[in-house]
């Protein structure tokens, strides 16, 4: 089901990338992963880097990542394995601020290592007391000679237990709220940085609360420009969260089609039943609608649309919410098997949930869309 790549948003190089990724997934992911998620993520990052796919996650010279390629990579990987998608995506999100706003020296120091898989990256914005309300974060940064020193906590940090490099957002106090935040680069092994708590979630991933006690950091971009950098990074990757959700939904539909076609219902199969067909029709329509919104947002961004926040938010909102519904329908169609540990649809049911929360919850996406719409209406 790569026919969405035949739409005019995509070029032959995108279809070629999808073919390579499908072959890579078949060769590398069929055996599943180690139970230790940290070890599994490390080896996935190394394998994806070795195959050259992580080059897609970082800026190439002055050119930002191609969002359509990111979307194809995430949907293809997610369709095969949630953890493989996670390992890929976090290399991009964790280094995105460096790609978009780093100096030439910062890019040269980190982007090749992130692209080869030698350095694992993390994005540290959320705090124990600020999630959606990112402009009110409390971590402080004070100047000390050439360096900056960070104190505070970050929570729900993906790759928090593994990261070699973190992009961190802290308060430098140029103004209230969003205006007083700057971005920083922190080395994963720096003194004063520790894992305060490993956070276990319904779909296991390396996730942690991190403590920063007098941590040395390097400024990334302009002082006071951190909130904008965080938002621009999120705009870029929000489309791709939608793409991961699309991959999960496509897999749920694959599973539903396979199950319905073989499951006996009297002399017929489940797929011959009109109620099943009504469901499959609804699932397929929902999947294609998400794919269209993702393709539109990714294409606009690649064409250089200066502010793509509305389309990116729509793509993430619709694709994640709808994937949850599609997966739920697939679980229902599988009956008892759908909630049985080890069934693929049961895994998808757990995997999809966090996507409606992280990188901007659905409620935040609706707010971003409405504010952008109102701004246009009032101007
Ligand atoms: N893209 C670009 N710029 C953005 C933006 C976006 N998506 N959202 C806000 N901005 C800009 C605004 O244009 C404004 O700039 P000006 O001062 O030049 O006008 C500035 O940032 C402040 O924006 P705003 O006043 O809307 O800030 P709020 O504090 O009201 O917050 C939301 C806006 C809720 C949209 C923001 O805090 C957000 O996205 N929160 C979610 C954070 C998140 O995704 N966390 C997950 C982390 S990764 S797991």
């Amino acid at each position: 089901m790569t026919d969405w790549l035949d739409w005019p948003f995509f070029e032959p190089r995108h279809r070629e990338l999808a073919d390579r990724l499908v072959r890579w997934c078949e060769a590398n992911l069929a055996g599943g992963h180690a139970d230790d998620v940290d070890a599994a993520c490390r080896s996935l990052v190394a394998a994806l880097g070795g195959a050259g796919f992580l080059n897609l996650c970082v800026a190439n010279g002055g050119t930002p990542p191609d969002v359509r390629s990111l979307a194809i990579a995430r949907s293809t990987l997610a369709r095969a394995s949630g953890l493989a998608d996670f390992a890929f995506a976090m290399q991009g999100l964790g280094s995105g601020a460096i790609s978009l706003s780093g100096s030439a020296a910062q890019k040269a120091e980190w982007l090749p290592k992130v692209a080869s898989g030698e350095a694992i990256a993390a994005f540290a914005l959320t705090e124990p007391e600020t999630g959606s309300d990112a402009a009110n974060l409390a971590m402080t940064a004070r100047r000390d000679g050439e360096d900056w020193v960070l104190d505070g906590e970050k929570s729900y940090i993906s790759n928090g237990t593994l990261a070699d490099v973190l992009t961190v957002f802290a308060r430098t106090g140029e103004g209230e709220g969003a205006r007083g935040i700057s971005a920083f680069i922190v080395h994963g092994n720096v003194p004063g940085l520790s894992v305060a708590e490993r956070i276990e979630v319904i779909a296991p991933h390396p996730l942690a609360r991190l403590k920063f006690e007098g941590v040395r950091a390097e400024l990334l971009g302009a002082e006071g420009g951190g909130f904008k950098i965080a938002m621009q990074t999120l705009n870029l990757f929000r489309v791709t969260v939608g793409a991961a959700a699309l991959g999960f939904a496509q897999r749920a539909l694959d599973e539903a089609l396979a199950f319905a076609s073989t499951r006996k219902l009297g002399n017929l199969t489940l797929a011959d039943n009109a109620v099943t067909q009504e469901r499959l029709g609804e699932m397929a329509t929902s999947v294609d609608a998400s794919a269209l919104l993702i393709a539109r947002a990714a294409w606009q961004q690649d064409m250089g649309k200066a502010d793509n926040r509305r389309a990116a938010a729509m793509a993430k909102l619709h694709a994640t919410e709808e994937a949850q519904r599609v997966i739920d329908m697939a679980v229902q169609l599988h009956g008892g098997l759908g909630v049985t540990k080890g069934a693929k649809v049961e895994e998808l049911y757990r995997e999809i949930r966090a996507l409606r929360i992280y990188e901007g919850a659905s409620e935040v996406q609706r707010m971003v869309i409405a504010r952008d719409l109102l701004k246009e209406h009032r101007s």
Side-chain angles (χ1 to χ4, degrees):
M1 241 195 302
T2 50
D3 55 345
W4 68 299
L5 302 179
D6 291 331
W7 298 345
F9 298 105
F10 297 99
E11 299 166 20
R13 66 189 169 101
H14 294 118
R15 290 182 276 279
E16 189 269 333
L17 169 66
D19 288 344
R20 269 196 297 129
L21 278 157
V22 168
R23 285 199 300 275
W24 186 87
C25 289
E26 285 165 358
N28 291 273
L29 302 177
H33 307 297
D35 285 342
D36 176 341
V37 286
D38 285 18
C41 272
R42 274 205 184 87
S43 79
L44 282 166
V45 169
L48 286 162
F53 293 125
L54 297 179
N55 285 316
L56 301 171
C57 292
V58 301
N60 180 3
T63 313
D66 181 75
V67 186
R68 288 167 296 172
S69 298
L70 287 174
I72 290 165
R74 291 203 64 178
S75 62
T76 310
L77 292 169
R79 197 169 180 171
S81 150
L83 207 57
D85 164 61
F86 170 88
F88 174 86
M90 289 308 140
Q91 291 300 92
L93 183 68
S95 65
I98 303 175
S99 279
L100 295 177
S101 302
S103 66
Q106 288 168 336
K107 287 181 184 173
E109 180 177 2
W110 289 111
L111 298 185
K113 287 188 201 155
V114 170
S116 67
E118 193 189 326
I120 293 183
F123 177 80
L125 177 67
T126 300
E127 297 186 354
E129 300 300 326
T130 45
S132 294
D133 187 19
N136 279 324
L137 61 82
M139 175 171 280
T140 59
R142 65 184 160 80
R143 211 186 249 289
D144 183 21
E146 289 293 287
D147 283 343
W148 290 81
V149 177
L150 307 186
D151 284 283
E153 283 196 357
K154 292 287 173 185
S155 199
Y156 290 100
I157 305 307
S158 294
N159 279 344
T161 53
L162 304 176
D164 299 297
V165 59
L166 300 97
T167 47
V168 183
F169 299 85
R171 187 158 293 291
T172 39
E174 289 75 14
E176 288 292 298
R179 280 183 296 280
I181 293 169
S182 300
F184 296 92
I185 298 175
V186 171
H187 291 233
N189 60 2
V190 76
L193 174 59
S194 60
V195 175
E197 178 193 5
R198 201 191 157 90
I199 303 171
E200 301 297 343
V201 283
I202 54 175
H205 295 90
L207 202 62
R209 177 163 61 86
L210 300 177
K211 205 171 201 130
F212 291 66
E213 294 167 299
V215 166
R216 300 247 147 214
E218 200 183 314
L219 186 69
L220 171 61
E223 275 177 55
F227 191 76
K228 281 265 163 75
I229 295 174
M231 291 300 120
Q232 282 160 359
T233 307
L234 288 168
N235 287 346
L236 184 62
F237 289 98
R238 275 174 181 164
V239 182
T240 78
V241 180
L246 174 67
F248 289 145
Q250 286 171 327
R251 179 62 183 265
L253 183 52
D254 296 340
E255 297 289 323
L257 286 167
F259 184 76
S261 301
T262 50
R263 172 78 173 185
K264 290 276 176 244
L265 196 67
N267 293 330
L268 301 172
T269 66
L270 202 52
D272 296 309
N273 181 280
V275 175
T276 307
Q277 291 174 6
E278 186 264 347
R279 269 298 135 104
L280 292 172
E282 189 174 347
M283 291 162 83
T285 306
S286 162
V287 164
D288 273 15
S290 295
L292 271 163
L293 281 171
I294 291 159
R296 189 264 303 252
W299 174 81
Q300 275 187 355
Q301 207 139 335
D302 291 340
M303 292 304 118
K305 192 168 191 309
D307 188 340
N308 198 30
R309 74 179 82 170
R310 194 197 305 177
M314 284 180 173
K316 186 199 182 254
L317 172 67
H318 190 273
T320 56
E321 292 287 330
E322 283 296 296
Q324 182 87 62
R325 243 169 41 80
V326 168
I327 292 167
D328 190 62
M329 285 188 253
V331 167
Q332 191 72 13
L333 203 133
H334 277 72
L337 183 60
V339 288
T340 305
K341 210 168 169 191
K344 186 66 193 179
V345 288
E346 179 268 345
E347 181 191 311
L348 292 167
Y349 191 77
R350 289 182 290 104
E351 285 281 359
I352 187 59
R353 190 60 185 87
L355 278 67
R356 291 166 55 209
I357 299 172
Y358 70 55
E359 290 179 51
S362 293
E363 293 74 11
V364 167
Q365 306 309 330
R366 291 191 188 96
M367 201 157 95
V368 169
I369 296 162
R371 286 183 184 184
D372 197 50
L373 204 59
L374 288 165
K375 196 166 127 198
E376 186 179 275
H377 176 72
R378 286 169 186 153
S379 66

